[in-house]
Structure formats: C-alpha cells, structure tokens
Amino acid sequence: SKFDIQIKFTEYAGHATVLTREAVAEKTDYVLSVGGDGTCNEIAKALIHSDTALGIIPIGSGNGLARHLGIDVVRALKIVNENRTVALDYCKANDKVFFCTCGVGFDPWVSMKFAEDKHRGGLTYLRKAVTEYMKYKTETYRLESKDGSVKEKAFLIACGNASQYGNNAYIAPRANMQDGKLDVTIIRPFTPF
C-alpha cells in the first residue's frame, strides 16, 4: 500500500478541526476531507501554515470548493495518489476563516434557513430560496476599500475566493484562489419578473 491510512469519523460540529489539529501535531502528510464544504472548511482551517496537505473527496450536497477546483471523487483519488499539492488563498471575516465565499444579505440568510432544515440537497436549497425571497427585505451597505467608500442598496454582496457557492451556482465566476484577492459581487434589488 502506498499510504498508511487511518479513518476517523466526526462526532459533532467542530470535531473535524480537533482531529485535524491532532493529525498536524503527529506530522501527518495528508488529511482527506470526505464530505462537503462544511467538513472541508473545518479541516482546512486547521491546516493553515502547516506541512500537512488537504485532500478533498467531495460527497457533500454542494461541494463548492471541489467544484471550483475541478475535483470529483475519481479525480480526487488520482490527485492524492500522484502527491500533487498546490497552495491556495484563505480569507478571514469577523475572525472566521473561509475558503470559498462569504457575504451579507440574501445568501447567508438562505444558508442559515437551509442549515436549519433536516433535508439537504439542491431542491431543498431552491425551495428555501424561493420561500425566503418573498419575505426578504433588502438593506443598504457601506463598502470600504483602499480606494474609498461606497454605499449600495443590495440584495446580496458576496466575496468570492472561489467562484461558486456549490452545485455550480457561480457568484464570482472569475475568482482565483491563488491571486491574493477577493472578487466582490453586488446584486442590486430586483423584482421577481
């Protein structure tokens, strides 16, 4: 066998981070994330600035990071077996690390409602999005950068390190996880029509 493999199952939210920190302390070469973006984020944030590499085996409901990177289950195993690694950017918002996207407005609102639902998958997300759209009120945001400050009334503002939320729902199509920049997308209020 090429690798000495240990399989560990998570038992609670945040457990993947604990297990990954233990793997880093033991000087493990790779930690494979078998799951979706939530599991991957828990693992990846514990690998920042370590010598342990992340492998992604995407079996979650959206798999935004894996899809951005062009990784499916078969390709994931090939990448790991070939020992191919690349450095990727990570981001922080309110001291929380993220790798794909973060934002304000409608998308985090729907994500919160989706997380509260017992059912997963694209249809559940779509149902939540349609239901919540009818109730959602837009807000005005102030965006500050080194170039100045602007006010925008927005349906949502998304910051993309990766190009999509998952399920090929692209919010920042030109995002590049190796350019040291976030792509900011502003969607202004719109009517259902």
Side-chain angles (χ1 to χ4, degrees):
S1 169
K2 190 171 185 177
F3 298 103
D4 175 22
I5 299 172
Q6 292 182 0
I7 298 173
K8 298 191 179 185
F9 292 91
T10 57
E11 297 171 11
Y12 53 86
H15 193 210
T17 303
V18 173
L19 294 173
T20 303
R21 286 188 180 127
E22 291 170 2
V24 169
E26 294 167 7
K27 307 229 182 280
T28 302
D29 292 326
Y30 301 95
V31 174
L32 301 182
S33 170
V34 182
D37 287 326
T39 303
C40 192
N41 193 71
E42 281 191 23
I43 292 169
K45 69 183 181 183
L47 296 177
I48 294 171
H49 304 298
S50 78
D51 292 326
T52 302
L54 169 69
I56 303 170
I57 302 184
I59 60 168
S61 57
N63 303 312
L65 180 59
R67 287 175 191 261
H68 172 85
L69 296 170
I71 299 172
D72 59 23
V73 173
V74 173
R75 185 156 186 259
L77 297 174
K78 186 176 180 185
I79 290 167
V80 170
N81 282 322
E82 292 175 356
N83 294 321
R84 283 193 280 152
T85 60
V86 296
L88 299 175
D89 297 337
Y90 70 93
C91 309
K92 277 187 178 180
N94 296 332
D95 291 323
K96 292 189 188 291
V97 172
F98 71 95
F99 297 87
C100 290
T101 62
C102 82
V104 294
F106 186 71
D107 61 326
W109 177 258
V110 171
S111 295
M112 180 183 72
K113 297 296 183 183
F114 178 69
E116 293 170 356
D117 201 294
K118 289 179 271 194
H119 302 94
R120 306 295 286 171
L123 286 177
T124 301
Y125 191 87
L126 183 60
R127 184 173 46 82
K128 289 285 180 197
V130 170
T131 304
E132 294 302 322
Y133 174 80
M134 305 311 273
K135 301 185 254 180
Y136 186 73
K137 303 277 188 255
T138 59
E139 301 206 23
T140 301
Y141 300 92
R142 188 176 78 225
L143 290 87
E144 295 181 12
S145 73
K146 64 181 181 185
D147 299 324
S149 175
V150 295
K151 273 188 169 184
E152 289 282 349
K153 185 168 182 126
F155 178 69
L156 69 84
I157 299 174
C159 300
N161 186 36
S163 59
Q164 62 171 283
Y165 293 129
N167 289 316
N168 293 323
Y170 291 90
I171 190 65
R174 293 191 178 116
N176 179 335
M177 295 186 73
Q178 295 178 301
D179 65 0
K181 298 176 183 176
L182 278 174
D183 288 31
V184 177
T185 302
I186 300 168
I187 298 181
R188 294 183 176 94
F190 55 91
T191 68
F193 301 108

